[in-house]
């Protein structure tokens, strides 16, 4: 190695070749020796002449082992380097095209890196100034970043298959962010949104393996590292660009994970939150990063996704979304034009609070009925009161549950997020229809639950009075029931009415006049 150092400094190739282990190292040794020799002659005032393409290709070919199989296209790439910076634009474009082609089909790691660095060099010295060259430049950088991401993904997937997680490695995200810095807005957004999506999915897989969910602002998560690098490297492009970048990151996840509702409904079991749904939910946090101002869009997407989950019978996912969404965000959305969205979010909170309260009462009542202590009755009664209050709060929500406060408001605003709607008009019309369907799903269910909690607590008079809510023309609840749903509620009410009659008979200690006759069944 010491002889190799002296050989490199003296322009003698043999000592360097003695330690060279790859084509690149042997090629460098030969070309460096030629460069040193020509420099020495130039300093001495001798004529150094020209280095022809054939000479360069000859040196590179000599550096190739028979078993390395240097592709003919790569030889052409090296040959083009001999043209130097005075080459015509067509020659530089041809060079970049060959590099891009080889990068896409070649599995060796050095070529994509070499192509990216050469492209950056040409751009730095203003030799990529035309539109065609710029497109090639961006494609080469994108190809290299994809190689970096692919390599990182392969390592993580290999670890996950073995049942263990690997520690966070910031180098990949640092490299991609650095290479993206010199790209145009469109290419940067396309590449970096893919990086953030990959980081989120990787985080979720790691959480599955370790059974530890990282907090939303955890610096140990891959997605937060990506977003922090974005703020560091791209904030100079302005807040509008950062908002668009963060929105595009969400779009990239939603494009992949916003699957057909009917398909997901058949695949999921009760109480399940699929990996896709988890990714959809957690991607919304990108919009809440300090680098942008995405609270409005985050609220809109939260409501949009909740509607889709509920209407697709993925209620567990909808409940998980409402529980996960930061409850302080709606308070920061102060624009008068978004009053309907804030109201919708509050309605969903009230709805799932009612469902949670019902589940808690049901569990406590069941536990008490199978062997609870006498002192537990007070806790069960308190749970019943809380449940009734929560259900009534949702049913009688101010301005109406899932009814817009301002019917003339055309929320949601246009964020240009094509993954979940094409245009603002389409999104507005879709939302109106989904709210109507949500009322037809939520209101009948809440009324049935209200009846059941009264009936299950032995308060048959209160259970029967649920019919008054259904029949109230001012509330319009009866119109929301399908024929089957209304028939089911009527059967429940009939059962409560019979129990109420039985209570009256027991209290008066009398016998029913129709007892023992054919009228008894009525």
């Amino acid at each position: 190695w010491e002889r190799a150092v002296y050989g490199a400094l003296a322009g003698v190739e043999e000592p360097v070749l003695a330690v060279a282990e790859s084509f690149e190292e042997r090629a460098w040794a030969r070309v460096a020796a030629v460069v040193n020799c020509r420099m020495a002659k130039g300093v001495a005032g001798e004529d150094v002449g020209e280095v022809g393409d054939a000479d360069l290709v000859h040196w590179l070919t000599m550096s190739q082992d028979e078993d390395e199989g240097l592709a003919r296209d790569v030889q052409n790439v090296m040959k083009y380097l001999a043209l130097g910076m005075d080459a015509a634009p067509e020659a530089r474009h041809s060079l970049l095209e060959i590099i891009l082609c080889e990068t896409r089909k070649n599995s060796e790691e050095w070529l994509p890196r070499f192509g990216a660095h050469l492209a950056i060099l040409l751009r730095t010295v203003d030799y990529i100034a035309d539109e065609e060259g710029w497109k090639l430049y961006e494609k080469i950088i994108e190809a290299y970043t994809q190689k970096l991401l692919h390599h990182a993904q392969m390592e993580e997937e290999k670890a996950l298959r073995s049942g263990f997680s690997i520690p966070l490695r910031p180098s990949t995200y640092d490299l991609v962010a650095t290479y993206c810095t010199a790209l145009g807005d469109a290419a940067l957004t396309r590449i970096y949104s893919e990086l953030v999506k990959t980081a989120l999915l990787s985080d979720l897989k790691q959480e599955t393996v370790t059974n530890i969910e990282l907090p939303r602002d955890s610096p140990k998560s891959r997605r937060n590292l990506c977003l922090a690098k974005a703020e560091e490297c791209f904030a100079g492009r302005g807040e509008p660009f950062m908002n668009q970048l963060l929105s595009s990151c969400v779009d990239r996840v939603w494009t992949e994970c916003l699957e057909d509702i009917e398909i997901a409904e058949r695949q999921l079991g009760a109480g399940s939150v699929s990996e896709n749904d988890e990714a959809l939910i957690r991607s919304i946090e990108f919009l809440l990063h300090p680098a942008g101002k995405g609270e409005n869009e985050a609220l809109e997407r939260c409501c949009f996704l909740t509607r889709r989950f509920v209407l697709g019978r993925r209620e567990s996912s909808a409940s998980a979304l409402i529980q996960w969404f930061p409850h302080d965000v709606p308070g920061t959305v102060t624009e008068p034009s978004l009053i309907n969205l804030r109201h919708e979010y509050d309605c969903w909170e009230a709805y799932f609070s009612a469902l949670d309260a019902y589940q808690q009462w049901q569990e406590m009542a069941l536990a008490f009925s199978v062997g609870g202590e006498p002192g537990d009755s007070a806790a069960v009664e308190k749970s019943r009161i809380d449940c009734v209050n929560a259900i009534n709060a949702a049913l009688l929500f101010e301005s109406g549950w899932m009814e817009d406060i301002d019917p003339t408001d055309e929320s949601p605003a246009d964020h240009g997020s094509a993954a979940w709607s094409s245009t603002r008009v389409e999104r507005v019309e879709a939302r109106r229809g989904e709210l109507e369907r949500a009322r037809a799903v939520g209101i009948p269910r809440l009324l049935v639950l209200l009846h059941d909690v009264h009936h299950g607590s032995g308060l048959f008079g209160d259970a029967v009075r649920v019919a008054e809510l259904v029949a109230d023309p001012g509330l319009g609840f009866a119109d929301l029931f399908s024929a089957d749903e209304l028939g089911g509620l009527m059967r429940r009410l009939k059962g409560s009415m019979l129990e109420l009659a039985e209570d009256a008979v027991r209290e008066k200690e009398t016998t029913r006049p129709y007892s023992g006759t054919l009228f008894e069944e009525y």
Side-chain angles (χ1 to χ4, degrees):
W1 287 103
E2 185 178 356
R3 292 179 67 249
V5 171
Y6 292 143
L9 293 174
V12 181
E13 64 183 50
E14 285 78 7
V16 185
L17 289 172
V19 297
E21 296 179 352
S22 67
F23 164 77
E24 291 177 280
E25 292 176 356
R26 290 190 292 274
W28 180 85
R30 288 193 168 92
V31 176
V34 173
V35 170
N36 284 335
C37 181
R38 287 166 59 82
M39 288 177 60
K41 289 183 178 180
V43 172
E46 300 178 21
D47 182 15
V48 296
E50 295 290 336
V51 176
D53 295 348
D55 296 328
L56 182 57
V57 172
H58 173 68
W59 298 328
L60 299 176
T61 304
M62 287 173 59
S63 303
Q64 172 193 357
D65 284 344
E66 292 182 2
D67 59 347
E68 279 189 323
L70 184 65
R72 180 63 53 184
D73 285 340
V74 178
Q75 291 186 26
N76 291 334
V77 169
M78 300 303 185
K79 182 177 178 181
Y80 270 114
L81 291 178
L83 295 174
M85 293 304 182
D86 294 328
E90 294 78 12
R92 295 196 295 271
H93 294 166
S94 178
L95 167 61
L96 294 176
E97 286 173 352
I98 293 173
I99 292 175
L100 180 61
C101 179
E102 285 297 320
T103 296
R104 287 173 171 171
K105 69 181 183 181
N106 199 301
S107 59
E108 296 188 31
E109 295 183 7
W110 70 269
L111 186 57
R113 183 176 64 250
F114 164 74
H117 291 178
L118 177 62
I120 292 172
L121 171 65
L122 293 175
R123 181 184 177 277
T124 302
V125 295
D126 294 331
Y127 277 87
I128 296 181
D130 58 319
E131 183 177 355
E132 182 181 354
W134 180 254
K135 290 180 180 178
L136 286 169
Y137 167 79
E138 291 189 331
K139 289 179 180 178
I140 288 175
I141 298 298
E142 184 170 3
Y144 180 44
T145 57
Q146 287 175 346
K147 291 278 187 179
L148 291 172
L149 289 177
H150 178 73
H151 180 72
Q153 282 180 287
M154 291 301 99
E155 283 191 339
E156 292 194 355
E157 288 179 7
K158 182 179 178 181
L160 291 171
R161 284 195 297 269
S162 302
F164 63 90
S165 63
I166 61 177
L168 181 64
R169 297 177 178 175
S171 58
T172 298
Y173 308 110
D174 288 342
L175 282 172
V176 175
T178 302
Y179 281 108
C180 285
T181 302
L183 295 176
D185 289 354
L188 189 157
T189 300
R190 184 174 61 252
I191 296 172
Y192 212 78
S193 59
E194 177 66 21
L195 173 68
V196 176
K197 182 206 77 175
T198 302
L200 171 63
L201 298 181
S202 178
D203 278 340
L204 296 181
K205 290 178 181 178
Q206 299 290 336
E207 289 178 5
T208 301
V209 171
T210 61
N211 201 28
I212 299 175
E213 180 176 331
L214 294 173
R216 182 166 62 89
D217 56 351
S218 172
K220 295 182 179 180
S221 72
R222 290 159 176 78
R223 59 190 182 276
N224 282 339
L225 177 60
C226 289
L227 296 176
K229 290 301 297 183
E231 183 177 19
E232 175 185 335
C233 297
F234 315 137
R237 301 190 183 215
E239 187 176 284
F241 170 78
M242 292 303 300
N243 289 337
Q244 181 58 44
L245 175 62
L246 297 174
S247 181
S248 297
C249 291
V250 185
D251 277 344
R252 185 61 67 97
V253 177
W254 282 34
T255 298
E256 182 170 315
C257 299
L258 196 58
E259 59 190 346
D260 182 80
I261 298 294
E262 295 181 356
I263 293 176
E265 176 187 336
R266 291 195 294 271
Q267 291 176 340
L268 291 181
S272 300
V273 180
S274 70
E275 292 181 3
N276 273 1
D277 288 354
E278 188 69 31
L280 290 168
I281 293 169
R282 302 280 282 278
S283 66
I284 297 176
E285 72 185 38
F286 301 160
L287 300 168
L288 303 176
H289 193 271
K293 297 292 183 182
E295 290 81 2
N296 294 0
E297 185 178 350
L299 178 61
E300 181 187 347
R301 289 201 189 238
C302 175
C303 293
F304 169 88
L305 202 54
T306 306
R307 292 195 303 272
R308 291 300 176 90
F309 284 156
V310 170
L311 297 178
R313 299 183 185 180
R314 294 148 76 175
E315 204 162 73
S316 296
S317 297
S319 177
L321 170 56
I322 293 299
Q323 291 179 7
W324 168 87
F325 193 76
H327 300 303
D328 60 327
V329 169
T332 66
V333 179
T334 57
E335 289 83 347
S337 62
L338 299 178
I339 185 174
N340 287 337
L341 278 178
R342 295 197 301 273
H343 176 71
E344 180 184 348
Y345 174 81
D346 292 340
C347 288
W348 285 124
E349 270 202 320
Y351 177 75
F352 286 107
S353 293
L355 297 188
D356 289 342
Y358 178 81
Q359 184 176 358
Q360 291 174 14
W361 166 79
Q362 195 175 42
E363 291 173 353
M364 293 186 69
L366 178 62
F368 182 73
S369 67
V370 296
E373 298 294 331
D376 295 338
S377 60
V380 175
E381 175 63 11
K382 180 180 183 304
S383 176
R384 181 195 70 81
I385 294 173
D386 292 341
C387 177
V388 170
N389 290 339
I391 294 175
N392 282 328
L395 285 171
L396 306 175
F397 203 84
E398 185 178 1
S399 300
W401 190 79
M402 291 298 155
E403 292 186 293
D404 282 341
I405 295 176
D406 181 5
T408 63
D409 178 26
E410 294 189 348
S411 298
D414 184 10
H415 300 294
S417 304
W420 50 301
S421 187
S422 299
T423 65
R424 179 180 185 229
V425 174
E426 289 179 357
R427 212 156 54 244
V428 168
E429 291 301 321
R431 178 177 177 273
R432 289 170 178 165
E434 288 168 357
L435 287 179
E436 293 176 3
R437 292 168 57 196
R439 277 180 60 79
V441 169
I443 294 296
R445 183 176 185 191
L446 290 174
L447 287 166
V448 168
L449 295 182
L450 181 61
H451 166 272
D452 288 355
V453 71
H454 286 318
H455 185 93
S457 302
L459 302 175
F460 304 117
D462 290 339
V464 170
R465 278 190 286 275
V466 170
E468 297 177 6
L469 286 173
V470 178
D472 190 329
L475 297 174
F477 289 166
D479 298 333
L480 300 173
F481 283 81
S482 67
D484 290 341
E485 290 171 337
L486 195 57
L489 180 60
M490 291 300 103
R491 287 189 289 273
R492 280 178 158 84
L493 292 171
K494 182 182 75 171
S496 298
M497 292 175 69
L498 291 175
E499 292 290 349
L500 186 62
E502 291 286 356
D503 283 350
V505 169
R506 284 191 292 267
E507 287 177 5
K508 296 180 180 180
E509 297 182 351
T510 61
T511 301
R512 283 178 265 161
Y514 51 81
S515 178
T517 71
L518 61 89
F519 297 103
E520 183 171 8
E521 65 180 285
Y522 298 107

